[in-house]
Amino acid sequence: LSKKLQILLKLFFILSIAFFTLSASQVLGDESEAVSSVSQAENSLDSAYLSLLEAERAGGDVSEVVKVLNTAIEYYSEAERAIKKGEYDTAVLLATEAVEASNVVLEADLGLIAVSKYVEGADLRNQLYLSLGAVIFIIPLSFLGWRGFKEYYIENIKKMRPEVVIDEP
Amino acid sequence: MNLDDWHLAFISACLVLILIICSPVVIETLKVRQEQFFMLAILGEEGMTEQYYPSDDPDISVNETIHWTMYLHNQMGEVQYIAVKVKLLNSTMKTPDYSSYNPSPEPAVYEIRHVLMNNETWLYPLDWNLINAELNGEKTSIKSMMINEDPLQINVESINGYNFRIVLELWVYDETSNRFNYGWIEQQGLQTAWNQIWFNVTRPG
């Protein structure tokens, strides 16, 4: 009986160690997965911000995209706090939400950049052509106008007759 | 007016006309640069620079909730990604340095990130309270606190519970180094923004 008990105790001891090792590796695995997800979310946010900056510099209206990026940042911040609380599954979920929202920002920015560059380029080109056309039109017109005015002025001078004023003593 | 005077007036009128026609293109090409800056402030319960503590008493108790609002304004000329680091210090811990532009070396207990449009003012509620403060002889240690309902484990001590302070530092995302840096670079060089508010814990729980 004592031998059987000893074997049972040994078996229980081995099983306990195996159980604790498995649990610990599960927790550590969850933690490293959560940390990796949050780090990936942070990189996505950085890329989304840089593309947003580029879209704004290209002349795009980024006000709506900023709202989406701020939502992504909130998910990321909550994911970071979840890790501190040991809620690793929640952290992974929130980090995934942050990455998805960042991807929406990236796609929106790419569209904005393309449209803005086209519109801005076209606007500036149109304005430049319009100004050049107006200047090209004004210079010969003013030259002709000046010639006409000059002739009219000289004609008027020629038509003038000197008045003789007799000063009587 | 003789003919020469008319000639001069005619040329002047033409030049003014050309200048008016070309002005939109010139303005578009030479965009005027504004003065660039950030503004960071902590506002009290009523959203003013007063009433930072209940009954205006900086001696606070454990579990007494303090309602502040963080005020942040972006006038940098474009969208900015910022991080505000909240730090809990005592009177001997190093604060950010004005002359060397270095942040406080102490770790942040809480961090707030946000993207601000140009010319945007952002108000962020900052509600906090102490969860655990212990008295050990002459020293009072803050062991844990809560900011916006997030419990935080810390360990900052002060003699008789006097002169704790909450410091807010403004960090700005730098697109060249791809990380948050303390302060920002403008025409006059590196600039920083930080803020602190003192409090005492003379009745630890």
Side-chain angles (χ1 to χ4, degrees):
Chain A
L1 187 74
S2 68
K3 260 194 176 179
K4 272 187 181 174
L5 192 69
Q6 268 183 354
I7 290 167
L8 271 174
L9 274 172
K10 272 182 188 172
L11 200 65
F12 177 73
F13 185 68
I14 290 164
L15 281 173
S16 304
I17 287 176
F19 175 75
F20 282 118
T21 314
L22 271 173
S23 306
S25 68
Q26 180 66 35
V27 169
L28 285 175
D30 285 352
E31 187 180 0
S32 67
E33 191 194 345
V35 169
S36 149
S37 300
V38 169
S39 169
Q40 195 191 336
E42 189 175 25
N43 291 338
S44 300
L45 288 176
D46 292 355
S47 306
Y49 168 66
L50 291 174
S51 73
L52 183 86
L53 202 58
E54 200 186 333
E56 194 191 39
R57 283 176 185 164
D61 178 8
V62 293
S63 53
E64 290 304 314
V65 191
V66 164
K67 286 178 192 167
V68 181
L69 184 54
N70 277 326
T71 309
I73 292 169
E74 275 173 34
Y75 283 133
Y76 162 79
S77 302
E78 282 176 30
E80 266 211 319
R81 282 163 206 153
I83 284 183
K84 283 180 187 166
K85 288 181 201 164
E87 297 166 1
Y88 302 123
D89 290 343
T90 313
V92 172
L93 276 175
L94 288 164
T96 311
E97 292 281 349
V99 171
E100 279 172 13
S102 300
N103 289 341
V104 170
V105 172
L106 271 170
E107 280 167 27
D109 288 342
L110 286 176
L112 271 176
I113 290 165
V115 171
S116 306
K117 275 186 179 164
Y118 176 76
V119 170
E120 193 189 32
D123 279 355
L124 198 66
R125 256 197 319 274
N126 288 346
Q127 219 158 38
L128 197 70
Y129 290 154
L130 209 67
S131 299
L132 270 172
V135 170
I136 290 166
F137 181 71
I138 284 169
I139 290 171
L141 198 75
S142 55
F143 182 72
L144 287 174
W146 168 247
R147 279 190 63 175
F149 175 77
K150 197 175 156 185
E151 276 171 23
Y152 169 77
Y153 186 87
I154 290 168
E155 281 299 310
N156 270 358
I157 295 280
K158 278 180 186 169
K159 277 179 197 166
M160 280 180 188
R161 289 179 183 174
E163 280 183 21
V164 180
V165 179
I166 301 165
D167 286 336
E168 287 187 12
Chain B
M1 259 171 98
N2 62 24
L3 198 60
D4 284 344
D5 292 336
W6 277 111
H7 196 193
L8 195 68
F10 217 83
I11 289 171
S12 305
C14 284
L15 284 175
V16 168
L17 199 65
I18 288 169
L19 210 65
I20 289 167
I21 288 166
C22 292
S23 60
V25 178
V26 175
I27 288 167
E28 193 63 34
T29 316
L30 308 167
K31 276 187 177 163
V32 183
R33 281 182 73 90
Q34 290 178 324
E35 194 187 350
Q36 297 173 319
F37 59 89
F38 278 107
M39 273 197 289
L40 171 71
I42 305 171
L43 306 174
E45 198 166 351
E46 303 289 323
M48 316 265 275
T49 52
E50 57 187 18
Q51 267 201 299
Y52 287 100
Y53 303 105
S55 316
D56 259 348
D57 180 9
D59 286 327
I60 62 165
S61 312
V62 170
N63 291 328
E64 191 172 23
T65 306
I66 313 296
H67 303 282
W68 288 349
T69 301
M70 185 184 75
Y71 172 100
L72 193 58
H73 181 78
N74 169 24
Q75 197 67 55
M76 292 296 288
E78 60 186 7
V79 67
Q80 294 286 334
Y81 185 18
I82 59 91
V84 176
K85 298 195 178 190
V86 182
K87 297 180 177 181
L88 178 70
L89 310 181
N90 62 26
S91 60
T92 57
M93 287 168 154
K94 271 191 177 176
T95 56
D97 193 339
Y98 276 121
S99 52
S100 66
Y101 304 108
N102 282 325
S104 164
E106 303 303 330
V109 294
Y110 193 79
E111 190 175 302
I112 305 146
R113 292 187 182 190
H114 196 72
V115 172
L116 279 124
M117 296 281 292
N118 180 45
N119 204 20
E120 182 186 347
T121 299
W122 185 51
L123 298 173
Y124 180 79
L126 207 61
D127 297 338
W128 63 275
N129 63 280
L130 303 176
I131 300 170
N132 183 15
E134 291 173 1
L135 187 67
N136 295 316
E138 277 191 332
K139 286 179 179 171
T140 301
S141 306
I142 298 177
K143 297 284 185 189
S144 58
M145 69 185 295
M146 187 120 84
I147 298 180
N148 288 350
E149 298 190 355
D150 274 314
L152 310 161
Q153 300 303 315
I154 39 180
N155 190 15
V156 180
E157 56 183 29
S158 141
I159 293 170
N160 295 327
Y162 283 102
N163 299 329
F164 285 106
R165 50 188 159 168
I166 284 188
V167 171
L168 265 61
E169 291 174 351
L170 179 63
W171 292 59
V172 181
Y173 191 85
D174 178 34
E175 59 180 304
T176 49
S177 60
N178 283 333
R179 63 189 173 96
F180 283 99
N181 285 338
Y182 177 59
W184 66 94
I185 295 168
E186 55 171 53
Q187 285 140 324
Q188 293 141 2
L190 187 64
Q191 299 291 318
T192 59
W194 67 281
N195 224 307
Q196 65 177 357
I197 294 196
W198 297 83
F199 66 95
N200 308 317
V201 188
T202 53
R203 302 180 295 273

